């Protein structure tokens, strides 16, 4: 097919946004205009122009070289968001790696930029324009894997799996002190105090059952690297149970905060990371598993302790 070349010298009337000039020159839609920029069809004063948001001034020469019979599709953008990265996505659900410092959902104070808000914004840019439906949560200063449904029916099926304790959730944590046992299980009954803090107490109608399995990965001078697997998923479960056992998670400001502080843990975040998540896909029935690498803060602490 013959290539068509068009050019225009910008006058006072045309000065301004280059994308509008290209649209007028080619007589195509806005999405086609973005595609032309992405495929290198546009130049200004002989230099390639890939920035659709650019502007031109009087005297600039805008050139357009394109095949009029080709549909120039906009290239898919890489989503850049400090609150999360996408690990897996299909039409039914999305698995993300949450950054520490991000609320999964807003509290009653209505904080902006929660994870569910940011993922919903991300999904709104897709053709389906679906919203993120919450399945489970991570504490604000904890990082790692979370799954969201793209519509309520999928989220409800996933929530039911969590209620039945089917998903496998594995965490990595650095805790204060040296744990003597190579592995073990915490089976306790957390309750919620007046300040919304959690504490372990005797079983009653006001408590919940919390079961956590752990395995020592490495003992260091005054800390322990542990692998933790949740059987139940109660609020603050890992943090409360390890603190109750005398081994609070490093950096935890709520549960045994004094003992959880460490001269070499200088990060504001908690040394807890949800590194593995496995569940049954609610549509395909396939067993799926996802992994997240250790955050640099945790990895650097462990490396320095060698």
């Amino acid at each position: 097919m013959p290539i068509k070349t068009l050019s225009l010298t910008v006058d006072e009337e045309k000065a301004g946004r280059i994308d509008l000039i290209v649209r007028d020159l080619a007589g195509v839609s806005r999405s086609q205009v973005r595609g032309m920029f992405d495929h290198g069809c546009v130049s200004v004063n002989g230099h390639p122009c890939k920035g659709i948001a650019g502007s031109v001034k009087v005297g600039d020469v805008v050139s357009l070289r394109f095949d009029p019979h080709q549909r120039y599709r906009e290239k898919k953008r890489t989503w850049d968001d400090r609150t999360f990265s996408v690990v897996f996505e299909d039409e039914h659900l999305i698995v993300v790696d949450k950054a520490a410092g991000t609320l999964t959902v807003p509290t009653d104070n209505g904080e902006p930029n929660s994870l569910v808000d940011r993922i919903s914004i991300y999904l709104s840019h897709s053709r389906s324009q679906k919203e993120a439906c919450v399945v489970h949560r991570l504490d604000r200063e904890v990082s790692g894997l979370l799954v969201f449904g793209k519509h309520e029916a999928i989220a409800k099926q996933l929530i039911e799996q969590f209620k039945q304790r089917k998903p496998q959730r594995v965490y990595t944590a650095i805790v204060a002190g040296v744990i003597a046992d190579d592995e073990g299980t915490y089976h306790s009954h957390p309750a919620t105090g007046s300040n919304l803090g959690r504490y372990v107490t005797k079983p009653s109608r006001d408590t919940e059952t919390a079961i956590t399995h752990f395995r020592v990965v490495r003992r260091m001078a005054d800390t322990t690297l542990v692998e933790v697997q949740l059987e139940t998923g109660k609020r603050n479960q890992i943090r409360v149970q390890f603190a109750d056992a005398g081994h609070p998670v490093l950096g935890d400001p709520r549960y045994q905060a004094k003992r959880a502080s460490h001269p070499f843990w200088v990060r504001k975040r908690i040394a807890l990371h949800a590194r593995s998540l496995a569940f049954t896909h609610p549509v395909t029935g396939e067993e799926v598993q996802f992994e997240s690498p250790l955050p640099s803060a945790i990895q650097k602490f462990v490396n320095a302790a060698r």
Side-chain angles (χ1 to χ4, degrees):
M1 295 290 180
I3 297 297
K4 190 173 184 178
T5 301
L6 301 173
S7 63
L8 178 146
T9 300
V10 179
D11 56 21
E12 290 186 1
E13 182 182 351
K14 293 288 186 181
R17 288 173 50 180
I18 187 172
D19 60 324
L20 299 181
I21 292 175
V22 172
R23 188 179 67 180
D24 289 344
L25 275 175
V28 296
S29 66
R30 292 182 178 179
S31 61
Q32 276 265 66
V33 168
R34 291 192 291 268
M36 287 179 167
F37 276 91
D38 286 349
H39 287 83
C41 300
V42 184
S43 63
V44 177
N45 300 327
H47 301 289
C49 180
K50 294 184 178 180
I52 193 170
S55 60
V56 288
K57 61 184 185 298
V58 174
D60 286 339
V61 177
V62 178
S63 299
L64 182 61
R65 189 172 183 274
F66 68 107
D67 181 347
H69 300 285
Q70 178 179 339
R71 180 172 177 79
Y72 290 92
R73 297 185 181 278
E74 184 180 3
K75 293 182 179 179
K76 187 174 181 180
R77 265 52 174 180
T78 300
W79 187 262
D80 184 17
D81 195 304
R82 289 182 296 178
T83 63
F84 75 96
S85 59
V86 177
V87 176
F88 171 82
E89 180 182 5
D90 64 14
E91 61 181 307
H92 307 291
L93 55 85
I94 181 171
V95 177
V96 303
D97 198 342
K98 182 184 89 70
T102 302
L103 277 170
T104 305
V105 298
T107 68
D108 293 338
N109 296 324
E111 293 90 347
N113 294 319
S114 67
L115 184 63
V116 68
D117 292 333
R118 297 304 304 168
I119 296 174
S120 292
I121 292 172
Y122 164 78
L123 294 178
S124 72
H125 285 75
S126 66
R127 292 181 181 179
S128 61
Q129 295 191 349
K130 295 176 180 176
E131 292 186 2
C133 302
V134 178
V135 175
H136 59 133
R137 308 180 186 193
L138 289 176
D139 297 337
R140 182 199 288 259
E141 295 303 337
V142 176
S143 58
L145 298 172
L146 285 166
V147 59
F148 290 80
K150 285 191 175 181
H151 44 86
E152 286 293 342
I154 293 297
K156 287 179 180 178
Q157 291 181 58
L158 288 166
I159 289 170
E160 188 59 32
Q161 288 190 42
F162 278 84
K163 287 181 179 178
Q164 296 177 16
R165 305 180 184 180
K166 290 182 177 180
Q168 294 182 6
R169 288 169 286 175
V170 180
Y171 292 68
T172 295
I174 305 172
V175 300
V178 179
I179 298 178
D181 296 332
D182 291 338
E183 58 184 30
T185 297
Y186 295 136
H187 190 149
S188 60
H189 301 274
T192 301
S194 57
N195 64 348
L196 298 182
R198 304 277 278 169
Y199 61 95
V200 171
T201 186
K202 294 179 180 180
S204 72
R205 67 177 64 182
D206 297 322
T207 64
E208 299 176 304
T209 298
I211 304 172
T212 303
H213 308 286
F214 72 86
R215 180 179 66 86
V216 170
V217 177
R218 184 182 167 199
R219 294 181 179 90
M220 295 168 277
D222 54 0
T223 56
T224 306
L225 181 69
V226 291
E227 178 184 276
V228 183
Q229 184 166 348
L230 290 182
E231 185 170 328
T232 60
K234 308 304 180 182
R235 184 170 66 89
N236 297 169
Q237 177 172 319
I238 294 173
R239 298 165 58 190
V240 171
Q241 289 184 315
F242 274 89
D244 183 67
H247 300 286
V249 180
L250 291 197
D252 195 327
R254 171 166 281 191
Y255 302 107
Q256 291 202 29
K258 186 173 182 180
R259 185 161 188 182
S261 65
H262 192 282
F264 298 121
W265 184 260
V266 296
R267 307 293 180 120
K268 291 183 179 179
R269 62 158 296 159
I270 298 171
L272 179 61
H273 179 68
R275 69 169 182 80
S276 181
L277 175 64
F279 55 88
T280 302
H281 194 291
V283 175
T284 67
E286 178 187 4
E287 297 297 322
V288 292
Q289 182 171 354
F290 305 98
E291 300 286 336
S292 169
L294 283 182
S296 59
I298 294 177
Q299 192 63 64
K300 287 179 180 177
F301 184 95
V302 174
N303 291 344
R306 290 179 179 176

